[in-house]
Amino acid sequence: MGDGIAGIDALLRDRLLIMVNDRSAIEILPHVRAHTGGLVLTGADAPVRCKEIRNARGQTVVAMDHGSHTQTIATAEAPFGLRTRLGWRDLDLTDLNEVLDGQRDNKASFAVTPTCFIPADTTGDALVLRSAIGQANQLLREDTVVLLPCSWRWLRGVPLRQLVEQIRACRHPVALILQADGDPLERAGASDGLRQLCRSCPRLMLWRTDLAAFDAMAHGAMGAAIGASAVLRHGVAPRPDSGGGGHKPYPVVLIRRLLRYVRVTTLLDWFARLDPWICDCAVCNGASLARFTDRDHDVLAALQHTVRELYVLHDGLAATLPGYERVDWWRQKLADSAEHHRRLAAETELEVLYPRVLQYWRRSSPLPLPPAQHHRSHDQRRPS
Ligand SMILES: [Zn+2]
């Protein structure tokens, strides 16, 4: 492989990817920033679509996520696997290499491990996590990101320390997916834990996420992949028969000044007696943000608007220096969003709830965890 470790780090650093099903990829593509963005494709036709896009626009970064974590739970024996036409297949190291080569053969800019779901640890020794990282460290390649699809419970206490230790021990960059029923970062301690993780692990990306991407990158994450549809904005517990899709998408719009996604029905309530907010992005072109219906055309336009707005936010983040300056930028965005919520409530005379996760992000940040070495010697000295 031509790309060294430094090569893949430079490729991912400060990059905001959009995670999207292969069916919507072509319509999203023109709204993705070529130099600071890219796509992560999901869905059965991801490999075909990846090759198409990379043939047409070779400068666009494209990778794929096979979604093994949505189908099967990882074990220490088989942390990696893949659903094939012949059924489920556990992957040994040789198979894993073949799958990663297959992604590169389909012109993926970098390879992503098909890691199965890693639930909360019951053994206390993080056996499954260790096995995934241990096997990945045997891969003789420099073009790969190790995907860790984990329960949100890894973000607290001893499991958090183990997670930090394993991500630091990984010789590849790591992409973390957080799973919970609902928003994982609304769970007690989760948003603080994620900040500690990001501050402690310089080669970490947050995947299949929402605006948490910005909180993570402000706190040191190297990059992120934000889901285009609601189901791609956090991890899900594995369901062997999940075919994807099924329920009809409804339009959800990113309201950048509020730092949140809002359903159009809510926007219609807000703007019933008030001039609706307009948007100047290239998709909306000065039109109302409440105009989207649930017709396919509007659902797509709402998505395109959202991608545009994500990159406007990302431009702001990328213009700051990592560290204090970036944290300050994010804190100001959060303070502004609180003020916009307050004004909106005053103008509409409605109760406009300030989302819990934004409240959490407005709190001060925890310190990074000390180096792993320190923990180990500390643990050994502790009397039993
Ligand atoms: Zn717009």
Side-chain angles (χ1 to χ4, degrees):
M1 290 298 154
D3 297 323
I5 286 281
I8 193 168
D9 282 32
L11 183 75
L12 300 176
R13 174 89 49 216
D14 279 355
R15 193 171 288 278
L16 181 69
L17 303 167
I18 303 295
M19 188 173 268
V20 64
N21 188 281
D22 63 72
R23 290 187 300 264
S24 310
I26 300 299
E27 283 98 343
I28 294 306
L29 187 60
H31 306 283
V32 170
R33 292 262 202 280
H35 295 295
T36 56
L39 292 173
V40 178
L41 302 177
T42 67
D45 288 333
V48 183
R49 201 68 71 241
C50 179
K51 200 166 192 170
E52 265 174 32
I53 294 172
R54 292 273 293 162
N55 280 337
R57 283 180 43 163
Q59 79 282 16
T60 303
V61 169
V62 187
M64 57 189 110
D65 178 345
H66 292 304
S68 301
H69 51 94
T70 65
Q71 291 156 12
T72 301
I73 293 177
T75 61
E77 295 71 37
F80 305 106
L82 197 63
R83 183 156 72 181
T84 70
R85 270 168 301 173
L86 303 173
W88 183 261
R89 205 174 127 211
D90 291 340
L91 302 175
D92 65 18
L93 207 56
T94 309
D95 302 331
L96 180 59
N97 250 317
E98 269 172 29
V99 169
L100 300 174
D101 283 342
Q103 294 177 13
R104 296 304 304 271
D105 290 346
N106 283 302
K107 302 213 167 178
S109 307
F110 57 93
V112 180
T113 60
T115 320
C116 302
F117 177 62
I118 303 175
D121 190 32
T122 50
T123 60
D125 52 8
L127 212 58
V128 178
L129 179 64
R130 282 173 202 280
S131 168
I133 300 294
Q135 290 196 28
N137 278 352
Q138 292 179 53
L139 293 168
L140 298 175
R141 49 195 312 145
E142 315 295 342
D143 63 347
T144 299
V145 168
V146 174
L147 191 59
L148 289 184
C150 291
S151 158
W152 70 275
R153 291 175 191 280
W154 284 94
L155 292 178
R156 300 187 306 182
V158 173
L160 175 62
R161 268 180 25 203
Q162 292 169 325
L163 184 58
V164 166
E165 199 175 305
Q166 288 305 306
I167 293 173
R168 281 170 169 167
C170 186
R171 52 178 299 278
H172 313 274
V174 167
L176 180 74
I177 296 178
L178 292 170
Q179 176 274 338
D181 291 331
D183 186 347
L185 295 186
E186 287 198 355
R187 303 305 184 101
S191 57
D192 273 0
L194 180 59
R195 282 178 167 182
Q196 278 192 301
L197 190 67
C198 293
R199 296 182 78 166
S200 308
C201 304
R203 298 177 76 209
L204 177 69
M205 299 179 82
L206 191 60
W207 268 46
R208 199 170 166 134
T209 188
D210 52 18
L211 293 177
F214 293 97
D215 197 70
M217 289 170 86
H219 288 86
M222 78 189 303
I226 295 184
S229 57
V231 72
L232 292 176
R233 287 200 276 268
H234 60 81
V236 294
R239 280 181 296 260
D241 55 347
S242 72
H247 29 246
K248 184 164 170 54
Y250 49 83
V252 175
V253 187
L254 176 66
I255 308 296
R256 176 158 51 92
R257 73 182 85 171
L258 298 181
L259 290 182
R260 65 188 276 198
Y261 295 86
V262 182
R263 286 193 190 214
V264 172
T265 48
T266 306
L267 290 174
L268 289 172
D269 286 346
W270 288 348
F271 301 126
R273 285 181 294 162
L274 195 70
D275 283 343
W277 289 350
I278 59 165
C279 175
D280 289 322
C281 84
V283 178
C284 301
N285 211 2
S288 157
L289 283 169
R291 73 187 187 280
F292 304 101
T293 69
D294 60 1
R295 284 184 308 216
D296 291 351
H297 170 83
D298 275 347
V299 172
L300 179 62
L303 174 54
Q304 291 169 327
H305 150 86
T306 294
V307 170
R308 287 263 167 193
E309 292 291 88
L310 286 172
Y311 280 112
V312 173
L313 259 181
H314 183 247
D315 288 346
L317 176 133
T320 61
L321 288 171
Y324 292 115
E325 189 185 325
R326 192 163 283 184
V327 172
D328 282 349
W329 169 84
W330 180 235
R331 297 195 77 76
Q332 188 58 52
K333 288 283 161 209
L334 290 163
D336 293 348
S337 82
E339 178 58 20
H340 283 302
H341 276 86
R342 200 190 57 72
R343 272 193 233 161
L344 181 65
E347 286 170 19
T348 58
E349 296 176 4
L350 293 170
E351 192 182 6
V352 179
L353 287 180
Y354 190 56
R356 202 182 309 166
V357 73
L358 295 181
Q359 292 174 31
Y360 289 157
W361 290 341
R362 292 202 68 195
R363 296 186 308 205
S364 58
S365 308
L367 292 170
L369 292 170
Q373 232 34 61
H374 176 83
H375 278 304
R376 206 167 290 138
S377 56
H378 179 77
D379 286 349
Q380 280 163 0
R381 270 186 275 115
R382 193 163 50 195
S384 52

